[in-house]
Amino acid sequence: RKEVEQDPGPFNVPEGATVAFNCTYSNSASQSFFWYRQDCRKEPKLLMSVYSSGNEDGRFTAQLNRASQYISLLIRDSKLSDSATYLCVVPRFGNEKLTFGTGTRLTIIP
Amino acid sequence: NAGVTQTPKFRILKIGQSMTLQCTQDMNHNYMYWYRQDPGMGLKLIYYSVGAGITDKGEVPNGYNVSRSTTEDFPLRLELAAPSQTSVYFCASSYLDRYNSPLHFGNGTRLTVT
């Protein structure tokens, strides 16, 4: 099993809809998780951190399921500006090596 | 506060040439990283450093070298450029704190080797 796995998509979603995608991880000892967004040809930027069961920030909700070893990202009332690739990051042994998922590509359709 | 600064933004190299990608951060972060991202692919870790004087290999270190003489700077050296090194290179830094350590990325260097 890969350290971090994401559904690559693409997810094509109409504007205003709710979309969710998952990130599974293999290291059960992982304590913190991060979602980044990456726009085309740009650097990744932090979207959300997850330390316990989940986190919510406006239209974005991240939930952690330790038993099944996955974290999910839910986007409500999607906007055209949400179109991006969403990367899942799972730290291992502190912060020495950060494993990135391949990302989930999301396109919001007008 | 500039964050993480990478230079150059773009570069074209001929096979066999060498170059250094510069990365500097002004946030006093201990951890620094170099990633490469091939078109349509995820980020792969090349090298990382947990502090000045300490470096270690990531997933794809072959063909690269790094040094960390100061907290601020973490240059990446390509000695003999190969077409397989055509990629976008991102430098990043983070705090030592493992529970609150998001990465701060530079804008990237787009390298083409022909």
Coordinates of all heavy atoms in Angstrom, one line a residue, chain A residues 6 36-45 84-89 100-105, chain B residues 6 21 34-46 59-60 64 76 83-91 105-112:
Chain A
Q6 N -4.5 9.1 -3.2 CA -5.7 10.0 -3.5 C -6.3 9.6 -4.8 O -5.6 9.1 -5.7 CB -5.2 11.4 -3.6 CG -4.8 12.1 -2.3 CD -4.5 13.6 -2.6 OE1 -3.3 14.0 -2.6 NE2 -5.5 14.4 -2.8
Y36 N -3.4 20.7 1.0 CA -2.9 21.9 0.2 C -3.7 22.0 -1.1 O -4.2 21.0 -1.6 CB -1.5 21.7 -0.1 CG -0.5 21.8 1.0 CD1 -0.3 20.8 1.9 CD2 0.3 23.0 1.2 CE1 0.5 20.8 3.0 CE2 1.1 23.1 2.3 CZ 1.3 22.0 3.1 OH 2.1 22.1 4.2
R37 N -3.8 23.2 -1.6 CA -4.3 23.4 -2.9 C -3.2 23.9 -3.8 O -2.3 24.7 -3.4 CB -5.5 24.3 -3.0 CG -5.3 25.7 -2.8 CD -6.5 26.6 -3.2 NE -6.6 26.8 -4.6 CZ -7.7 27.3 -5.2 NH1 -8.8 27.5 -4.5 NH2 -7.7 27.5 -6.5
Q38 N -3.2 23.4 -5.1 CA -2.2 23.8 -6.0 C -2.9 24.3 -7.3 O -3.6 23.4 -7.9 CB -1.2 22.7 -6.3 CG -0.1 23.2 -7.2 CD 1.0 22.1 -7.4 OE1 0.8 20.9 -7.3 NE2 2.2 22.6 -7.7
D39 N -2.8 25.5 -7.6 CA -3.3 26.0 -8.9 C -2.2 25.7 -10.0 O -1.1 25.4 -9.7 CB -3.5 27.5 -8.8 CG -4.6 27.8 -7.8 OD1 -5.7 27.4 -8.1 OD2 -4.3 28.5 -6.8
C40 N -2.7 25.7 -11.2 CA -1.9 25.2 -12.4 C -0.6 26.0 -12.4 O -0.7 27.3 -12.4 CB -2.7 25.4 -13.6 SG -1.9 24.7 -15.1
R41 N 0.5 25.4 -12.5 CA 1.8 26.0 -12.6 C 2.2 26.9 -11.4 O 3.0 27.8 -11.6 CB 1.9 26.8 -13.9 CG 1.7 25.9 -15.1 CD 1.7 26.7 -16.4 NE 3.0 27.2 -16.7 CZ 4.0 26.5 -17.2 NH1 3.9 25.3 -17.5 NH2 5.2 27.1 -17.5
K42 N 1.6 26.7 -10.3 CA 1.9 27.5 -9.1 C 2.4 26.5 -8.0 O 2.2 25.3 -8.1 CB 0.6 28.2 -8.6 CG 0.1 29.2 -9.6 CD 0.9 30.5 -9.7 CE 0.2 31.6 -10.5 NZ 1.0 32.8 -10.5
E43 N 2.8 27.2 -6.9 CA 3.3 26.4 -5.8 C 2.1 25.9 -4.9 O 1.1 26.6 -4.9 CB 4.3 27.2 -4.9 CG 3.7 28.3 -4.1 CD 3.5 29.6 -4.8 OE1 3.5 29.6 -6.1 OE2 3.3 30.6 -4.2
P44 N 2.2 24.8 -4.2 CA 1.1 24.4 -3.3 C 1.0 25.4 -2.1 O 2.0 26.0 -1.7 CB 1.6 23.1 -2.7 CG 2.6 22.6 -3.7 CD 3.3 23.8 -4.2
K45 N -0.3 25.6 -1.7 CA -0.5 26.5 -0.6 C -1.4 25.8 0.4 O -2.3 25.0 0.0 CB -1.2 27.8 -1.0 CG -0.3 28.6 -1.9 CD -0.9 30.0 -2.2 CE 0.1 30.8 -3.0 NZ -0.4 32.1 -3.5
A84 N -8.8 23.5 -8.8 CA -7.4 23.4 -8.5 C -7.1 21.9 -8.3 O -8.0 21.1 -8.4 CB -7.1 24.2 -7.2
T85 N -5.9 21.6 -8.0 CA -5.5 20.3 -7.5 C -5.4 20.3 -6.0 O -4.7 21.2 -5.5 CB -4.2 19.8 -8.2 OG1 -4.5 19.7 -9.6 CG2 -3.8 18.4 -7.7
Y86 N -5.9 19.3 -5.3 CA -5.9 19.3 -3.9 C -5.0 18.2 -3.4 O -5.1 17.0 -3.8 CB -7.3 19.1 -3.3 CG -8.1 20.4 -3.5 CD1 -8.8 20.6 -4.7 CD2 -8.2 21.3 -2.5 CE1 -9.5 21.8 -5.0 CE2 -8.9 22.5 -2.7 CZ -9.5 22.7 -4.0 OH -10.2 23.9 -4.2
L87 N -4.0 18.5 -2.7 CA -2.9 17.6 -2.3 C -3.1 17.3 -0.8 O -3.3 18.1 0.0 CB -1.5 18.2 -2.5 CG -1.2 18.8 -3.9 CD1 0.1 19.6 -3.9 CD2 -1.1 17.6 -4.8
C88 N -2.9 16.0 -0.5 CA -2.9 15.5 0.9 C -1.5 15.3 1.3 O -0.7 14.7 0.6 CB -3.8 14.2 0.8 SG -3.7 13.2 2.3
V89 N -1.2 15.7 2.5 CA 0.1 15.5 3.1 C 0.1 14.8 4.4 O -0.7 15.2 5.3 CB 0.9 16.9 3.3 CG1 2.2 16.7 4.0 CG2 1.1 17.5 1.9
F100 N 3.6 13.5 -0.1 CA 2.5 14.1 -0.8 C 1.7 13.0 -1.6 O 2.3 12.2 -2.2 CB 2.9 15.2 -1.7 CG 3.3 16.5 -1.1 CD1 4.5 16.7 -0.5 CD2 2.3 17.5 -1.1 CE1 4.8 17.9 0.1 CE2 2.6 18.7 -0.5 CZ 3.8 18.9 0.1
G101 N 0.4 13.1 -1.5 CA -0.4 12.4 -2.4 C -0.2 13.0 -3.8 O 0.3 14.1 -4.0
T102 N -0.7 12.2 -4.8 CA -0.6 12.7 -6.2 C -1.6 13.9 -6.5 O -1.4 14.6 -7.5 CB -0.8 11.6 -7.3 OG1 -2.0 11.0 -7.0 CG2 0.4 10.6 -7.2
G103 N -2.5 14.0 -5.6 CA -3.4 15.1 -5.8 C -4.7 14.7 -6.5 O -4.8 13.8 -7.3
T104 N -5.8 15.4 -6.1 CA -7.1 15.2 -6.8 C -7.4 16.5 -7.5 O -7.4 17.6 -7.0 CB -8.2 15.0 -5.7 OG1 -7.9 13.8 -5.0 CG2 -9.5 14.9 -6.4
R105 N -7.6 16.3 -8.8 CA -7.9 17.5 -9.7 C -9.4 17.8 -9.7 O -10.2 16.9 -10.0 CB -7.4 17.2 -11.1 CG -7.3 18.5 -11.9 CD -6.4 18.2 -13.1 NE -7.0 18.8 -14.2 CZ -7.0 18.4 -15.5 NH1 -6.4 17.2 -15.7 NH2 -7.5 19.0 -16.5
Chain B
Q6 N 12.9 31.7 -4.3 CA 13.7 30.8 -5.2 C 14.2 31.6 -6.4 O 13.4 32.4 -7.0 CB 12.8 29.7 -5.7 CG 12.5 28.6 -4.7 CD 11.8 27.5 -5.3 OE1 10.6 27.2 -4.9 NE2 12.3 26.8 -6.3
L21 N 20.3 25.9 -8.1 CA 19.1 26.5 -7.8 C 19.1 27.1 -6.4 O 19.5 26.4 -5.4 CB 17.9 25.5 -7.9 CG 17.4 25.1 -9.3 CD1 18.4 24.3 -10.0 CD2 16.1 24.3 -9.1
W34 N 13.6 20.2 -0.7 CA 13.6 20.4 -2.2 C 12.7 19.3 -2.8 O 12.9 18.1 -2.5 CB 15.0 20.3 -2.8 CG 15.7 21.6 -2.8 CD1 16.7 22.0 -2.1 CD2 15.4 22.7 -3.7 NE1 17.2 23.2 -2.4 CE2 16.4 23.7 -3.4 CE3 14.5 23.0 -4.7 CZ2 16.4 25.0 -4.0 CZ3 14.5 24.2 -5.4 CH2 15.5 25.2 -5.0
Y35 N 11.7 19.7 -3.6 CA 10.8 18.8 -4.3 C 10.9 19.1 -5.7 O 11.2 20.2 -6.2 CB 9.3 19.1 -3.9 CG 9.0 18.6 -2.5 CD1 9.1 19.4 -1.4 CD2 8.5 17.3 -2.3 CE1 8.7 19.0 -0.1 CE2 8.2 16.9 -1.0 CZ 8.3 17.7 0.1 OH 7.9 17.3 1.3
R36 N 10.6 18.1 -6.5 CA 10.5 18.2 -8.0 C 9.1 17.8 -8.3 O 8.5 16.8 -7.7 CB 11.5 17.5 -8.8 CG 11.6 16.0 -8.6 CD 12.6 15.4 -9.6 NE 12.1 15.4 -11.0 CZ 12.8 15.0 -12.0 NH1 14.1 14.6 -11.8 NH2 12.3 15.0 -13.2
Q37 N 8.5 18.4 -9.3 CA 7.2 18.0 -9.8 C 7.2 17.9 -11.3 O 7.4 19.0 -12.0 CB 6.1 19.0 -9.3 CG 4.7 18.6 -9.7 CD 3.7 19.5 -9.1 OE1 3.9 20.7 -9.0 NE2 2.5 18.9 -8.6
D38 N 7.1 16.7 -11.8 CA 7.0 16.6 -13.3 C 5.6 16.8 -13.8 O 4.6 16.8 -13.0 CB 7.4 15.1 -13.6 CG 8.8 14.8 -13.2 OD1 9.6 15.8 -13.2 OD2 9.2 13.7 -12.9
P39 N 5.4 17.2 -15.0 CA 4.1 17.5 -15.5 C 3.0 16.5 -15.2 O 3.2 15.3 -15.5 CB 4.3 17.7 -17.0 CG 5.8 18.0 -17.2 CD 6.5 17.3 -16.1
G40 N 1.9 16.9 -14.6 CA 0.8 16.1 -14.3 C 1.1 15.1 -13.2 O 0.3 14.2 -13.0
M41 N 2.2 15.2 -12.5 CA 2.6 14.3 -11.4 C 2.6 15.0 -10.1 O 2.5 16.2 -10.0 CB 3.9 13.7 -11.7 CG 4.0 13.1 -13.1 SD 3.0 11.6 -13.3 CE 4.0 10.4 -12.3
G42 N 2.8 14.1 -9.0 CA 2.8 14.7 -7.7 C 4.3 15.2 -7.4 O 5.2 15.1 -8.1
L43 N 4.4 15.7 -6.2 CA 5.7 16.2 -5.7 C 6.5 15.1 -5.2 O 6.0 14.2 -4.4 CB 5.4 17.2 -4.5 CG 4.8 18.5 -5.0 CD1 4.0 19.1 -3.9 CD2 5.9 19.5 -5.4
K44 N 7.8 15.1 -5.5 CA 8.7 14.1 -5.0 C 9.8 14.8 -4.3 O 10.4 15.7 -4.8 CB 9.3 13.2 -6.2 CG 8.2 12.3 -6.8 CD 8.9 11.3 -7.7 CE 7.8 10.4 -8.4 NZ 7.0 9.7 -7.4
L45 N 10.2 14.2 -3.1 CA 11.2 14.8 -2.3 C 12.6 14.5 -2.8 O 12.9 13.3 -2.9 CB 11.0 14.4 -0.8 CG 11.9 14.9 0.2 CD1 11.8 16.4 0.4 CD2 11.7 14.2 1.6
I46 N 13.4 15.5 -3.0 CA 14.8 15.2 -3.5 C 15.7 15.2 -2.3 O 16.4 14.2 -2.1 CB 15.2 16.4 -4.4 CG1 14.2 16.5 -5.6 CG2 16.6 16.1 -5.0 CD1 14.5 17.8 -6.4
E59 N 13.3 10.9 -1.7 CA 13.0 9.8 -2.6 C 13.8 9.7 -3.8 O 14.1 8.7 -4.3 CB 11.5 10.0 -3.1 CG 10.4 9.9 -2.0 CD 9.1 10.3 -2.7 OE1 8.5 9.4 -3.3 OE2 8.7 11.4 -2.6
V60 N 14.2 10.9 -4.4 CA 14.8 10.9 -5.7 C 16.1 11.8 -5.7 O 16.2 12.8 -6.4 CB 13.8 11.4 -6.8 CG1 12.8 10.4 -7.1 CG2 13.2 12.8 -6.4
Y64 N 21.6 15.0 -7.9 CA 21.5 16.3 -7.1 C 22.4 16.3 -5.9 O 22.8 15.3 -5.4 CB 20.1 16.6 -6.7 CG 19.0 16.5 -7.7 CD1 18.4 15.3 -8.0 CD2 18.7 17.6 -8.5 CE1 17.4 15.2 -9.0 CE2 17.8 17.5 -9.5 CZ 17.1 16.3 -9.7 OH 16.1 16.2 -10.7
L76 N 20.3 23.9 -4.2 CA 20.3 22.6 -4.9 C 21.2 22.6 -6.1 O 21.0 23.5 -6.9 CB 18.9 22.2 -5.3 CG 18.7 20.9 -6.0 CD1 18.8 19.7 -5.0 CD2 17.3 20.9 -6.7
P83 N 18.2 15.2 -19.5 CA 16.8 15.5 -19.8 C 15.8 15.1 -18.8 O 14.7 15.7 -18.6 CB 16.6 14.8 -21.2 CG 18.0 14.7 -21.8 CD 18.9 14.5 -20.6
S84 N 16.1 14.0 -18.1 CA 15.2 13.5 -17.0 C 15.0 14.5 -15.9 O 14.1 14.3 -15.0 CB 15.7 12.1 -16.5 OG 17.0 12.3 -15.9
Q85 N 15.9 15.5 -15.8 CA 15.8 16.5 -14.8 C 14.9 17.7 -15.2 O 14.8 18.6 -14.4 CB 17.2 16.9 -14.3 CG 18.0 15.8 -13.6 CD 19.4 16.2 -13.3 OE1 20.1 16.7 -14.1 NE2 19.7 16.0 -12.0
T86 N 14.4 17.6 -16.3 CA 13.4 18.6 -16.7 C 12.2 18.5 -15.8 O 11.6 17.5 -15.8 CB 13.0 18.4 -18.2 OG1 14.1 18.7 -19.0 CG2 11.8 19.4 -18.6
S87 N 11.9 19.6 -15.1 CA 10.9 19.5 -14.1 C 10.7 20.9 -13.5 O 11.4 21.9 -13.9 CB 11.3 18.6 -13.0 OG 10.2 18.3 -12.1
V88 N 9.7 21.0 -12.6 CA 9.5 22.2 -11.8 C 10.1 21.9 -10.4 O 9.7 20.9 -9.8 CB 8.1 22.7 -11.7 CG1 8.0 23.9 -10.8 CG2 7.5 23.0 -13.1
Y89 N 10.9 22.7 -9.9 CA 11.5 22.5 -8.6 C 11.0 23.5 -7.6 O 11.0 24.7 -7.8 CB 13.1 22.6 -8.7 CG 13.7 21.6 -9.5 CD1 13.7 21.6 -10.9 CD2 14.2 20.4 -8.9 CE1 14.3 20.6 -11.7 CE2 14.8 19.4 -9.7 CZ 14.8 19.5 -11.1 OH 15.3 18.5 -11.8
F90 N 10.5 22.9 -6.5 CA 10.0 23.7 -5.4 C 10.8 23.6 -4.1 O 11.1 22.5 -3.7 CB 8.6 23.3 -5.0 CG 7.5 23.7 -6.1 CD1 7.0 22.7 -6.9 CD2 7.1 25.0 -6.3 CE1 6.0 23.0 -7.9 CE2 6.2 25.3 -7.2 CZ 5.6 24.3 -8.0
C91 N 11.2 24.7 -3.6 CA 11.9 24.7 -2.3 C 10.8 25.0 -1.2 O 9.8 25.8 -1.5 CB 12.9 25.8 -2.2 SG 13.8 25.9 -0.7
F105 N 6.0 27.2 0.6 CA 6.7 27.0 -0.6 C 7.2 28.2 -1.3 O 6.6 29.3 -1.2 CB 5.8 26.2 -1.6 CG 5.6 24.8 -1.3 CD1 4.6 24.4 -0.4 CD2 6.4 23.8 -1.9 CE1 4.4 23.1 -0.2 CE2 6.2 22.5 -1.6 CZ 5.2 22.1 -0.7
G106 N 8.3 28.1 -2.0 CA 8.7 29.2 -2.9 C 7.9 29.1 -4.2 O 7.1 28.1 -4.4
N107 N 8.1 30.0 -5.1 CA 7.3 30.1 -6.4 C 7.7 29.0 -7.4 O 7.1 28.8 -8.4 CB 7.4 31.5 -7.0 CG 6.7 32.5 -6.2 OD1 5.9 32.2 -5.4 ND2 7.1 33.8 -6.3
G108 N 8.9 28.4 -7.2 CA 9.3 27.3 -8.1 C 10.3 27.8 -9.1 O 10.4 29.0 -9.5
T109 N 11.1 26.9 -9.6 CA 12.0 27.1 -10.7 C 11.7 26.1 -11.8 O 11.7 24.9 -11.6 CB 13.5 26.9 -10.3 OG1 13.8 27.8 -9.3 CG2 14.4 27.0 -11.5
R110 N 11.4 26.6 -13.0 CA 11.0 25.7 -14.1 C 12.3 25.5 -14.9 O 12.8 26.4 -15.5 CB 10.0 26.4 -15.0 CG 8.6 26.2 -14.4 CD 7.5 27.1 -14.9 NE 6.3 26.9 -14.2 CZ 6.0 27.2 -13.0 NH1 6.9 27.9 -12.3 NH2 4.8 26.9 -12.4
L111 N 12.8 24.2 -14.9 CA 14.0 23.9 -15.6 C 13.7 23.0 -16.7 O 13.0 22.0 -16.6 CB 14.9 23.1 -14.6 CG 16.2 22.6 -15.1 CD1 17.1 23.8 -15.5 CD2 16.9 21.7 -14.1
T112 N 14.4 23.3 -17.9 CA 14.3 22.5 -19.1 C 15.7 22.1 -19.4 O 16.6 23.0 -19.5 CB 13.6 23.2 -20.2 OG1 12.3 23.6 -19.9 CG2 13.5 22.3 -21.5

